[in-house]
Amino acid sequence: METQVILNAKQFDLTLQRLCRQLIENHNDFSNTVLIGLQPRGISVLNRLKILIEEILDKEIQCGNLDITFHRDDFRRRATPLIPSVTNIDFSLENKNIVLIDDVLYTGRTIRAGLDAMLAYGRPNKVELLTFVDRRFKRHLPIQADYIGKTVDSLVSERVSVEWKEIEGEDKVLLYTPESNG
């Protein structure tokens, strides 16, 4: 399995810093903006952005974690059942500006499920999408990100992995081809 580093730790940090500043530029003091991380991997992006934004603004911003397990269109098609994560949204999204956050945008199906799940918490004023990595050539749905950390052109057989120092021990983005079991 050949692995290519798309972002090293320094580039990873610079990308997070840029996304943070773009959000601040567009949402000012976040008085009517909520950041929502999609479980499981969007939460890592959210947590890092939240720390950076709160350091710059010197105030706490409203954030939530959203589980989309039962809103996925492949929920009943899997050989092994999906294990749901925790949703932590203890406030209304009614008339708020929402930034949905995920680690990798590929087909758009996860984001569609996130949009469906989010509506249970109110009707937002506006919804934007932030993705750390955009794999742009395989959309199944017409979904595009408003904030993109890194665009990666890849083959269908390739995978992108966003790795976090808190989980995998080092911040980096990898492009690799999984070994087939055949």
Side-chain angles (χ1 to χ4, degrees):
M1 172 173 75
E2 186 178 327
T3 301
Q4 180 182 356
V5 176
I6 301 295
L7 291 177
N8 63 30
K10 183 176 181 178
Q11 295 164 326
F12 195 101
D13 183 56
L14 287 170
T15 301
L16 284 170
Q17 292 284 345
R18 179 176 46 80
L19 289 169
C20 167
R21 291 183 184 338
Q22 287 176 319
L23 287 170
I24 291 171
E25 182 178 333
N26 290 338
H27 294 276
N28 300 314
D29 66 353
F30 286 77
S31 58
N32 196 42
T33 300
V34 176
L35 303 181
I36 303 289
L38 297 180
Q39 292 278 19
R41 305 292 290 187
I43 303 307
S44 297
V45 183
L46 169 66
N47 290 339
R48 287 284 191 85
L49 289 173
K50 179 179 181 356
I51 290 168
L52 294 171
I53 292 168
E54 289 179 348
E55 284 177 0
I56 292 169
L57 297 180
D58 195 30
K59 71 177 266 190
E60 192 171 327
I61 60 170
Q62 199 166 34
C63 298
N65 302 344
L66 183 62
D67 177 61
I68 60 161
T69 302
F70 299 114
H71 294 273
R72 294 180 58 94
D73 59 6
D74 63 351
F75 174 65
R76 289 179 178 80
R77 293 179 165 192
R78 295 182 178 244
T80 57
L82 292 171
I83 307 297
S85 299
V86 173
T87 289
N88 182 12
I89 299 176
D90 57 357
F91 47 85
S92 173
L93 301 182
E94 196 71 29
N95 293 319
K96 297 280 189 179
N97 296 319
I98 308 299
V99 180
L100 278 181
I101 299 173
D102 204 6
D103 64 338
V104 178
L105 172 59
Y106 186 40
T107 65
R109 292 183 180 282
T110 298
I111 304 307
R112 190 225 29 98
L115 291 167
D116 286 350
M118 181 188 64
L119 291 177
Y121 297 92
R123 182 177 181 214
N125 178 53
K126 180 179 181 180
V127 178
E128 294 178 324
L129 174 60
L130 180 147
T131 186
F132 198 69
V133 176
D134 181 5
R135 292 181 64 186
R136 64 183 174 169
F137 290 134
K138 188 64 169 122
R139 293 288 189 279
H140 294 177
L141 301 168
I143 292 175
Q144 300 301 320
D146 300 286
Y147 307 94
I148 299 169
K150 176 75 173 170
T151 300
V152 175
D153 298 336
S154 59
L155 302 172
V156 173
S157 62
E158 294 175 315
R159 301 287 180 266
V160 173
S161 176
V162 179
E163 300 192 355
W164 300 88
K165 66 181 171 190
E166 300 87 351
I167 301 169
E168 289 89 8
E170 185 180 356
D171 289 339
K172 61 185 171 185
V173 177
L174 302 175
L175 176 68
Y176 65 96
T177 303
E179 294 179 20
S180 63
N181 294 335

